[in-house]
Each structure stands twice: as structure tokens, then as C-alpha cells.
Amino acid sequence: MTPALEALYRGFEDELLIPLWTEIGDLMPAHPRSKAAAHLWRWQSLRRLAEQAGEIVPVGRGGERRAIALANPSLGGKPFATPTLWAAIQYLLPGEDAPEHRHTQHAFRFVVEGSGVWTVVGGDAVPMNRGDFLPQAGWNWHAHHNATDEPMAWIDGLDIPFQWTNEAQFFEFGRDEISGAERITPERARSEQLWGHPGLRPLGVTHSTPGSPLLSYKWEHTDRALSDQLDLERQGYAGTVEPGHAAVRFVDPSTGGDVLPTIRAEFHRVTRGSVTAPVRETGSSVYQVFDGSGRVTVGDLTWSVTRGDLFVVPSWQPLSIVSEAGDTDSDSGALDLFRFSDAPIFEALRIHRTDHSDHTDKD
Ligand code: 1HN
């Protein structure tokens, strides 16, 4: 470095300036190189620690939720699963209340085991059972209650990292006690009575707030949709994504689009012995194994996975899935995976890209 160049760079530094020519490789890579790592969290460990938290840490105003978040090892110690998505296990003991509040962050719950908790969203009590998916768009009041005599765990997904990075968050506490009609253990939510009938839109109500008006997508429907696709495939009709791979997206029945403005949610079933072709996409996803077992490859990493395990697929890292029997198998013979991603953000901004070509030899 010449003295003249050194002086130039000192001048830049003094004035808080950075020239493009020293940074361009990082600012404009040929393709996304995610800061986030592909990583797997074992449900057994999450579950054990959540139970431990249940014995020691109360739920109440202030902390709000007994939620324990996945912290991607490459995202600086923040409770961020990916650069845009939060994922956590939440644990509620018999009789416990998670107090009412609202926030601009869009959220959902997905239940991998247990039942008996209901969540009250905007005054509508919604039951939660294994396999149910419950979206809850930002700024809705919500609280949870465990009305049984068993503890219950589920996962929460939110766009917290996205709103944190972009500085759009608002938060408000709600009522300290919930009573009356909102405290009953519901059979079905009002939102299901209105919006939960396939292909039928109620004419007596309007829906203009963001996010799906249907607050619970019940497992029986998801399961049936997937097994029907595979039935049709066996009979030689189209309907699956690829051989042995059925999939559905949870959609807003009022629009047909994604259930939440920032979060896409899907369910995938890969039959025993089937292998999915590698796919890479811009944006990041979190998967949870709902049932079955198999091997999952993300970029250079391969893990054996089983019920409840959660893993992250960072932007532009290829994912492929093998469905095969595991050590502790007692399942239906397919690998069932719940997936959520930030795809609606990328699609809205027209920067979503998917690549199905075989790129195993490329970086
Ligand atoms: C929240 O309200 C829930 O309602 C879960 O269950 C996780 C993480 C941060 C902030 C609010 C819930 C949350 C959260």
C-alpha cells in the first residue's frame, strides 16, 4: 500500500466512508451465502429442558410465555432460528394461563404432541390438538390456557427476527384475567364454524385484516389431503409433488394465498423408501418432523431425524429428504414434515428464486 493510498483510506475512515471496491464480494455475491447455519435440534432435548423449565420457571405477566427459542449457532447468540424466523418450544402446565397480549409479529402454533390447551385469539377460543396448525396474524389479542391435568408442549413460529431487523415491532399487554365465554373449553372455534368448510366462503361476514380468518387447520384435513394424493398416485393419477412425495400448503380461505403476510406453512409426506430431489430456494425454512423417521441433507450436512426434531434450511442451501425406518420406529411408515418459511416476504418483493436442477456438484 502506497502512502497516498493509506492516506486515502484514513480519510475514508475518519469520515465514516467505505469504498465499494473493498466490499463488493460480500455485498454482491454471485448467489446467496447465508450467515445462518443449517442446524438440527433434537425434540428429546428440547422437551426435557422445557419440562425442567416447567418445574422452575413460572408463567406470567412480564415474561409472558414459557417459550424457549432455537438460537442458530451462526446468528450471534440471538434467539433467531434463521435471519427472519423465530422458532420455539412452548410449555404450559395444567391450569396455567399464558397472559393476554398482542404484538405486530405474525405468529403460529403447531402441535406435535398432546392436547388440551386452547388459545384465545381475538376473543375466539381455539382448541389445540396434535397435528393442528394455528396461524395468528399480528396485532390480534391472544392468550393460552391449559385446561387439562397434563402439561402440553407445542412449537411457536414468528417473524420476530424480520421485524427486529427492520424495526417494525409494537407490543401491548392485554387483560390480566380472561373470563366468561372465552374461558370455556371449546369443541370448535367460531372461526372454524365460519371458515372451516372446504371451498365454501361465508357470505355474512367480511374479512379485511391481514392473515387467515381460519384460526385452526385441523390434522384430520391435512392427513386426509396427503393420503388422498398418495392414493391417487398409486392409481396412476397426478397430484403429488414427485414420486412418493405429497405436499400441501396452508392457505387463507378468503384469498387462496399464504396464511400470514410473512410466513408460509406447508406439510410434506414422504413415503417410506422415497427420496426427494434436491431443491434450493432463496429465503429460509424451519422444518419439524411430525412423524416417522429418515435422513435429511442440507448443504454438506446429513442428519438422521425422528419425531419432533427441528432443523433449519438456510437460504440457497439444497435440501433433500430420505424416508426410512429409524431405530425407534412405531409410525405410519411415512416421514411427515411440517415446514414454515419466509417465502411470502421474498415473493412479495419479487426476489424469490427456486432451483430444482441437480446442483450437488456446485456450490
Ligand atoms: C408470544 O406471544 C408467543 O403467544 C410465543 O405463544 C412466543 C415470542 C416472543 C414474543 C411473544 C405466544 C413469543 C411471543
Side-chain angles (χ1 to χ4, degrees):
M1 201 181 285
T2 63
L5 200 53
E6 259 180 61
L8 178 65
Y9 282 172
R10 248 194 327 277
F12 288 157
E13 223 176 287
D14 290 346
E15 298 297 327
L16 300 173
L17 300 168
I18 297 174
L20 175 62
W21 59 85
T22 63
E23 296 287 317
I24 191 159
D26 179 50
L27 292 178
M28 301 214 163
H31 55 78
R33 296 179 200 281
S34 183
K35 276 196 266 302
H39 195 79
L40 173 80
W41 286 262
R42 298 266 173 220
W43 183 246
Q44 270 202 348
S45 311
L46 281 155
R47 185 65 227 222
R48 178 174 48 79
L49 288 162
E51 271 169 34
Q52 231 172 295
E55 285 164 21
I56 308 171
V57 184
V59 170
R61 195 45 100 209
E64 302 296 293
R65 300 293 184 262
R66 193 186 288 111
I68 307 157
L70 310 184
N72 191 294
S74 304
L75 293 177
K78 302 293 294 178
F80 297 170
T82 82
T84 50
L85 299 170
W86 155 292
I89 180 173
Q90 184 166 163
Y91 195 71
L92 204 60
L93 294 169
E96 273 187 334
D97 281 304
E100 188 181 58
H101 64 209
R102 65 177 176 177
H103 39 71
T104 47
Q105 289 85 355
H106 302 295
F108 71 81
R109 335 221 160 272
F110 178 70
V111 185
V112 73
E113 62 184 34
S115 59
V117 167
W118 36 261
T119 180
V120 187
V121 180
D124 193 9
V126 191
M128 294 169 64
N129 295 294
R130 172 164 160 82
D132 295 349
F133 168 73
L134 297 93
Q136 175 216 296
W139 217 234
N140 279 295
W141 293 110
H142 58 286
H144 319 309
H145 180 73
N146 186 343
T148 65
D149 48 16
E150 294 286 334
M152 185 170 158
W154 64 88
I155 64 161
D156 296 303
L158 293 93
D159 60 7
I160 293 174
F162 176 72
Q163 294 209 23
W164 186 85
T165 304
N166 295 293
E167 302 175 337
Q169 322 93 312
F170 293 86
F171 178 92
E172 251 184 291
F173 294 122
R175 298 163 294 176
D176 283 331
E177 292 288 330
I178 291 186
S179 55
E182 295 174 43
R183 250 201 116 68
I184 50 129
T185 303
E187 187 79 23
R188 277 193 306 163
R190 288 202 303 273
S191 81
E192 291 171 62
Q193 292 183 272
L194 277 176
W195 291 96
H197 306 287
L200 297 172
R201 184 192 183 108
L203 294 185
V205 288
T206 51
H207 173 70
S208 53
T209 50
S212 176
L214 181 58
L215 300 178
S216 173
Y217 293 65
K218 285 209 189 303
W219 172 241
E220 62 192 83
H221 302 300
T222 312
D223 186 31
R224 176 83 80 88
L226 296 165
S227 57
D228 275 352
Q229 282 185 21
L230 292 166
D231 261 3
L232 288 170
E233 178 180 74
R234 276 188 288 273
Q235 295 168 40
Y237 295 104
T240 52
V241 174
E242 57 188 331
H245 177 187
V248 287
R249 182 168 298 160
F250 297 99
V251 294
D252 177 335
S254 73
T255 63
D258 284 297
V259 279
L260 294 167
T262 51
I263 297 177
R264 171 166 293 171
E266 296 176 350
F267 207 102
H268 294 253
R269 173 169 292 168
V270 184
T271 56
R272 178 73 45 86
S274 296
V275 179
T276 67
V279 183
R280 58 183 174 180
E281 281 181 45
T282 50
S284 50
S285 295
V286 180
Y287 283 77
Q288 184 174 35
V289 177
F290 180 70
D291 204 5
S293 52
R295 254 178 315 122
V296 169
T297 300
V298 182
D300 307 330
L301 299 175
T302 297
W303 309 290
S304 286
V305 296
T306 189
R307 185 186 278 199
D309 292 351
L310 288 137
F311 58 90
V312 158
V313 181
S315 187
W316 214 237
Q317 291 204 17
L319 163 72
S320 74
I321 297 159
V322 182
S323 173
E324 61 185 14
D327 307 333
T328 54
D329 238 25
S330 59
D331 56 70
S332 57
L335 177 57
D336 275 357
L337 294 154
F338 170 73
R339 173 196 190 185
F340 67 103
S341 79
D342 52 13
I345 302 173
F346 285 70
E347 285 189 355
L349 303 178
R350 311 291 280 269
I351 52 173
H352 189 253
R353 208 190 270 213
T354 303
D355 177 15
H356 292 271
S357 61
D358 187 355
H359 32 68
T360 41
D361 295 326
K362 292 186 267 165
D363 70 340

